Amino acid sequence: MKLAWTTIIICIWLAQCLKGNVNAIRYMPRLEGATYAIRGDYVPMKFYDSLRTSDRSKQELQNKLRNFLENLQKNLTTSTLLSGLDTSISSTQNHFLKLQELSTFFHDASETAGLFARDSEIFYEVTKNSSYALLLKLRQVPMAQPTEIKILLTNYFAEMEFFHIMFSEIMDEALEYTQNVLRAIQKVFIYYADAQRYILQDWNLKPNMVCCKMYMDFLQLYSAQIFKCAADHELNIAYDVYAMAETNAKYIMRQLEFRIQRLFNCFLFKSYQIRCQFLLNAEHDFEKLFSKLEELETYFDIKTKRGRVSALRFRRNFQNENDIIESRVEIADCLPKDFPHGQMQKDLKSCFYFVDKKQPISV
Ligand SMILES: *[C@@H]1O[C@H](CO)[C@@H](O)[C@H](O)[C@H]1NC(C)=O
Ligand SMILES: *[C@@H]1O[C@H](CO)[C@@H](O)[C@H](O)[C@H]1NC(C)=O
């Protein structure tokens, strides 16, 4: 893997650099009595704020989409609408209301998906920025240090900078995946909501039971189909990718914060020999964090199927080319082509007074 190779090269290089510095640090004066540590909050508040906001938006989307199929069934069942209603006027009004509610549902769900897309994007951006802000803290270490320490510090900075770059790249991958999924869902839902609203407002559904029932059946079928296609498999993967990125970002931020704090303590008390041991081997100090990144990348690869695709591509000679093509459903295609004209039967079309022959809905 690219990551592994670059790490190995950096390690060899660092080992070379460090050889000369070990002795220097061994003879640093030992400071007695400085046993307490300075505590600092180095992770920007913005990181935790954006995390909370983004989590809330995710929760809202999950709540919004929960039990959709059951509600759809319940809301659009003609028999429940009819029971207790005696005049045809009120039952038609009731139908109209339920149809409006369905359109509103998709409109709101689209908005909620858009909000989560926006807030999670901010979260990923703030995470990258926070990692960078922590890196810059290293520049604030007092400059008047022995040359040997300065060199070690430079090495440490280089290692942390490299970590920051890798971390940002992986956050970008998670960002790209979740954004693609959420924005696609947002689009499909808003198109579908608009299509329904347009039919309701401009097509004039005939106010009789047969037509109402036919149109409701039509909407039940396509709402369920579009919902299942757009908001099932890939959305769940997006949730997982987001949750995993979030958990790891929190862990990594705390780890980076710990490292900065330790560094500041080490320089504050000039107790290099006790507190600065980690500086001798920056690569070892970041080892665990790098393996966290590798785990995260592997997880994303498997989750988003890119790993499988690239593995297949790698064994190209043994495969039929067609096997390599991803079988993933594109969310953008979840709204059937030519909807609703192409899907409506003749007898349903005859239930509307004014069906515009020229495609009234632009999808
Ligand atoms: C079902 O009806 C309730 C209110 O009666 C509404 O809040 C909800 O959005 C509707 N759901 C669907 C899928 O139409
Ligand atoms: C991240 O940092 C860049 C450059 O400093 C800045 O332009 C951007 O607004 C920041 N993003 C967030 C979400 O804070």
Side-chain angles (χ1 to χ4, degrees):
M1 284 181 78
K2 191 179 65 185
L3 182 70
W5 267 112
T6 329
T7 313
I8 288 166
I9 290 164
I10 295 254
C11 292
I12 293 168
W13 173 75
L14 267 182
Q16 296 294 332
C17 295
L18 283 170
K19 257 183 204 156
N21 298 310
V22 177
N23 288 338
I25 224 175
R26 202 164 283 156
Y27 298 113
M28 280 296 150
R30 194 185 167 123
L31 191 86
E32 310 292 338
T35 48
Y36 63 94
I38 297 283
R39 270 209 66 84
D41 293 318
Y42 296 105
V43 178
M45 271 316 287
K46 214 176 167 189
F47 172 73
Y48 295 107
D49 289 344
S50 69
L51 194 151
R52 265 193 298 275
T53 307
S54 170
D55 266 356
R56 232 185 349 253
S57 303
K58 177 191 168 199
Q59 195 61 54
E60 257 166 49
L61 182 60
Q62 284 177 318
N63 291 344
K64 184 83 201 162
L65 303 185
R66 189 169 295 134
N67 301 329
F68 168 78
L69 294 176
E70 289 90 323
N71 291 339
L72 176 71
Q73 195 77 30
K74 243 188 327 208
N75 287 8
L76 290 195
T77 300
T78 28
S79 58
T80 51
L81 285 177
L82 280 174
S83 63
L85 299 165
D86 32 24
T87 74
S88 67
I89 305 274
S90 65
S91 88
T92 310
Q93 278 171 342
N94 205 11
H95 275 106
F96 194 77
L97 214 67
K98 284 291 158 194
L99 294 176
Q100 255 177 347
E101 265 175 15
L102 183 67
S103 163
T104 305
F105 169 85
F106 276 100
H107 186 274
D108 292 352
S110 166
E111 217 158 66
T112 314
L115 285 182
F116 180 42
R118 185 199 66 187
D119 291 339
S120 58
E121 180 174 15
I122 292 174
F123 166 71
Y124 287 121
E125 291 297 335
V126 168
T127 300
K128 288 185 288 171
N129 281 8
S130 303
S131 159
Y132 189 62
L134 285 169
L135 176 67
L136 289 187
K137 292 273 180 212
L138 285 191
R139 291 284 190 221
Q140 291 170 13
V141 171
M143 281 327 284
Q145 307 292 342
T147 316
E148 298 82 4
I149 299 295
K150 267 193 202 162
I151 291 167
L152 289 179
L153 202 52
T154 305
N155 290 341
Y156 199 79
F157 185 87
E159 190 68 12
M160 187 163 165
E161 186 177 38
F162 182 57
F163 179 81
H164 164 73
I165 291 166
M166 290 319 229
F167 179 52
S168 299
E169 271 179 22
I170 290 173
M171 285 294 117
D172 277 338
E173 279 171 30
L175 165 70
E176 195 190 330
Y177 184 79
T178 46
Q179 291 300 299
N180 281 344
V181 170
L182 291 171
R183 294 295 180 193
I185 292 172
Q186 182 187 11
K187 232 186 227 163
V188 166
F189 280 4
I190 198 70
Y191 282 149
Y192 186 53
D194 283 349
Q196 289 176 57
R197 205 175 37 136
Y198 192 89
I199 292 171
L200 223 48
Q201 283 173 0
D202 292 11
W203 283 27
N204 288 325
L205 180 66
K206 290 177 185 172
N208 65 62
M209 266 309 128
V210 177
C211 281
C212 281
K213 177 160 176 15
M214 222 189 298
Y215 184 49
M216 280 194 167
D217 288 347
F218 175 81
L219 282 182
Q220 283 234 19
L221 179 70
Y222 282 98
S223 300
Q225 186 184 306
I226 288 165
F227 184 89
K228 275 190 260 181
C229 170
D232 186 34
H233 182 60
E234 292 237 35
L235 179 59
N236 285 324
I237 295 175
Y239 284 146
D240 288 347
V241 164
Y242 168 79
M244 198 66 173
E246 185 197 39
T247 309
N248 279 276
K250 272 195 282 191
Y251 171 79
I252 283 166
M253 285 302 151
R254 275 197 299 269
Q255 287 291 316
L256 292 179
E257 183 174 55
F258 163 76
R259 278 163 178 72
I260 301 294
Q261 191 178 312
R262 195 180 43 176
L263 197 75
F264 271 87
N265 285 336
C266 144
F267 283 101
L268 184 73
F269 301 111
K270 297 225 184 311
S271 52
Y272 302 115
Q273 206 173 32
I274 320 167
R275 297 175 187 273
C276 300
Q277 285 296 319
F278 62 92
L279 267 187
L280 286 177
N281 199 343
E283 167 249 321
H284 175 70
D285 199 47
F286 277 91
E287 211 170 67
K288 251 203 206 141
L289 288 186
F290 273 113
S291 61
K292 261 277 180 259
L293 285 193
E294 260 185 302
E295 269 172 39
L296 197 56
E297 180 154 54
T298 308
Y299 178 85
F300 289 162
D301 276 354
I302 291 168
K303 269 286 171 184
T304 63
K305 295 289 191 297
R306 283 176 313 130
R308 199 183 133 265
V309 170
S310 46
L312 286 178
R313 204 168 283 142
F314 184 69
R315 288 185 280 127
R316 200 183 183 93
N317 294 339
F318 306 100
Q319 296 278 337
N320 182 335
E321 284 227 10
N322 292 331
D323 292 347
I324 295 166
I325 294 164
E326 273 181 281
S327 59
R328 200 149 79 193
V329 182
E330 283 289 338
I331 293 174
D333 299 333
C334 286
L335 198 64
K337 282 227 155 41
D338 214 12
F339 187 87
H341 288 274
Q343 289 69 32
M344 279 190 182
Q345 303 288 338
K346 239 201 189 107
D347 46 355
L348 176 55
K349 277 187 182 164
S350 72
C351 277
F352 296 96
Y353 285 117
F354 307 109
V355 176
D356 190 353
K357 293 291 189 293
K358 285 171 271 142
Q359 195 85 350
I361 301 150
S362 55
V363 168

